[in-house]
Amino acid sequence: MWRLFVLLVLALANPALSETTAATLFAAQKEPSAQRPSAIGTYAKGCAAGNVELPQDGPTWQAMRLSRHRNFGQPVTIDFLKDLSAFAVTQGWAGLYIGDIGNPRGGPMNSGHASHQMGLDVDIWQLPANRLDLSADEREELSSIPVRSSDQRSVTENWTPVHQAIMRQAALDPRVDRIFVAAAVKIEMCKTATAADTEWLQKIRPEGGHDTHFHVRLKCPRGSNMCQTQTPSVSELSKGGNGCDETLAWWVSDAYLNPKPPKNPPPPKPRKKKSTELLMSDLPPQCMGVLQSD
Ligand SMILES: [Zn+2]
């Protein structure tokens, strides 16, 4: 049944659509689809119906890199950002600088991200938002700041208790599934969190990069029946731990940072398609409807 639907969609579609990359097709759509909000597929192979725009300027945020036109997400994501940025104000910042969420209709992007396809992922800058009157040009030119050292083993002097308070607040939010940060950031938070208050650290996941921003991933919202929630990616988390253990220490070990080449290298795995190479036929069939909707 599913295969039949795919074939039907492909046959009905303009033949050119089956060769152009999905990233190119989604980038060409400048407005969200006029559909009921729904996150469709997976974080790295999906799209988003009924996205809404995060206003470029808000009372407690500014959207950055406006030229990318990626300040669109599911309503739940936009609500979350309004709430978290208001919290940042209570901690002494003027608000938050919001990086990429996704395309107006989600889908793969021509640069920068493997995920961010369902309108449920957002990058938030580690640069404290001290002013909210940045011009469009300033938002192109200004860069965020690294909170992790270049040897990847520790946080820098840019890291503050306010950063930690904001990420803790995000992790405590029931809408949030996980938050990706540089491992050194999680290690620091594990050290400084109060003993009775570490459960939220379960949602903080070490990931390569993520030294100048943290990446918040929301759960599939209610009503998004075609959205697939991710299963835990860190082994100990399935046992209910907070991840402050040797698995975390591995991220700053020589075994990870300076690995010796193995004596008997395993045969290379077949190369996975990059997100920039995905075609419409790689996405759930409903994404064609999102792309072509008014
Ligand atoms: Zn991201």
Side-chain angles (χ1 to χ4, degrees), residues 100-101 112-113 115-116 121-124 180 210 213-217:
D100 285 358
I101 312 172
H113 310 275
S115 64
H116 288 250
D121 291 284
V122 54
D123 289 343
I124 300 172
F180 298 111
H210 295 84
H213 72 270
F214 61 103
H215 171 153
V216 180
R217 171 165 294 171

Side-chain angles (χ1 to χ4, degrees), residues 146-245:
V147 293
R148 185 207 68 195
S149 62
S150 52
D151 70 1
Q152 304 188 36
R153 293 178 198 264
S154 57
V155 290
T156 67
E157 72 277 7
N158 294 329
W159 177 256
T160 68
V162 176
H163 287 89
Q164 178 148 335
I166 292 171
M167 271 181 242
R168 174 179 175 275
Q169 180 74 9
L172 289 172
D173 194 305
R175 295 168 288 194
V176 170
D177 183 63
R178 61 191 65 203
I179 299 166
F180 298 111
V181 294
V185 168
K186 174 151 184 171
I187 290 171
E188 183 68 14
M189 291 201 277
C190 288
K191 265 190 227 158
T192 52
T194 354
D197 182 34
T198 64
E199 218 172 287
W200 57 275
L201 284 162
Q202 195 266 359
K203 286 193 190 175
I204 308 281
R205 308 291 171 93
E207 187 60 74
H210 295 84
D211 52 337
T212 62
H213 72 270
F214 61 103
H215 171 153
V216 180
R217 171 165 294 171
L218 273 66
K219 293 174 183 155
C220 289
R222 195 170 297 160
S224 283
N225 302 325
M226 285 173 290
C227 175
Q228 281 178 47
T229 294
Q230 194 177 354
T231 47
S233 57
V234 184
S235 56
E236 80 277 12
L237 296 175
S238 55
K239 296 175 213 147
N242 58 23
C244 297
D245 58 15

Side-chain angles (χ1 to χ4, degrees), residues 40-291:
I40 297 167
T42 65
Y43 298 94
K45 263 187 196 175
C47 60
N51 262 352
V52 291
E53 180 173 13
L54 176 74
Q56 295 181 355
D57 297 281
T60 52
W61 70 87
Q62 284 198 293
M64 306 301 280
R65 302 281 190 270
L66 300 174
S67 61
R68 295 184 186 174
H69 208 54
R70 291 177 181 169
N71 51 319
F72 296 83
Q74 288 286 287
V76 65
T77 308
I78 306 308
D79 289 346
F80 164 77
L81 288 172
K82 290 177 178 172
D83 294 345
L84 188 67
S85 59
F87 175 79
V89 174
T90 70
Q91 302 301 302
W93 290 8
L96 294 175
Y97 292 146
I98 310 296
D100 285 358
I101 312 172
N103 290 320
R105 301 183 185 205
M109 277 167 266
N110 277 320
S111 64
H113 310 275
S115 64
H116 288 250
Q117 295 190 22
M118 291 201 290
L120 299 175
D121 291 284
V122 54
D123 289 343
I124 300 172
W125 283 26
Q126 300 282 19
L127 176 69
N130 291 327
R131 41 180 281 232
L132 295 180
D133 59 352
L134 298 173
S135 68
D137 282 347
E138 284 174 302
R139 291 186 236 185
E140 298 296 327
E141 285 150 22
L142 189 67
S143 291
S144 188
I145 49 167
V147 293
R148 185 207 68 195
S149 62
S150 52
D151 70 1
Q152 304 188 36
R153 293 178 198 264
S154 57
V155 290
T156 67
E157 72 277 7
N158 294 329
W159 177 256
T160 68
V162 176
H163 287 89
Q164 178 148 335
I166 292 171
M167 271 181 242
R168 174 179 175 275
Q169 180 74 9
L172 289 172
D173 194 305
R175 295 168 288 194
V176 170
D177 183 63
R178 61 191 65 203
I179 299 166
F180 298 111
V181 294
V185 168
K186 174 151 184 171
I187 290 171
E188 183 68 14
M189 291 201 277
C190 288
K191 265 190 227 158
T192 52
T194 354
D197 182 34
T198 64
E199 218 172 287
W200 57 275
L201 284 162
Q202 195 266 359
K203 286 193 190 175
I204 308 281
R205 308 291 171 93
E207 187 60 74
H210 295 84
D211 52 337
T212 62
H213 72 270
F214 61 103
H215 171 153
V216 180
R217 171 165 294 171
L218 273 66
K219 293 174 183 155
C220 289
R222 195 170 297 160
S224 283
N225 302 325
M226 285 173 290
C227 175
Q228 281 178 47
T229 294
Q230 194 177 354
T231 47
S233 57
V234 184
S235 56
E236 80 277 12
L237 296 175
S238 55
K239 296 175 213 147
N242 58 23
C244 297
D245 58 15
E246 66 287 348
T247 323
L248 181 59
W250 173 81
W251 285 86
V252 292
S253 68
D254 280 329
Y256 174 66
L257 294 175
N258 302 305
K260 293 197 185 90
K263 279 193 191 112
N264 300 307
K269 290 189 192 138
R271 196 177 75 85
K272 251 175 67 182
K273 255 189 198 179
K274 290 187 200 146
S275 58
T276 50
E277 298 165 346
L278 295 173
L279 301 174
M280 289 308 292
S281 52
D282 294 313
L283 303 181
Q286 292 82 1
C287 289
M288 189 66 93
V290 172
L291 190 69

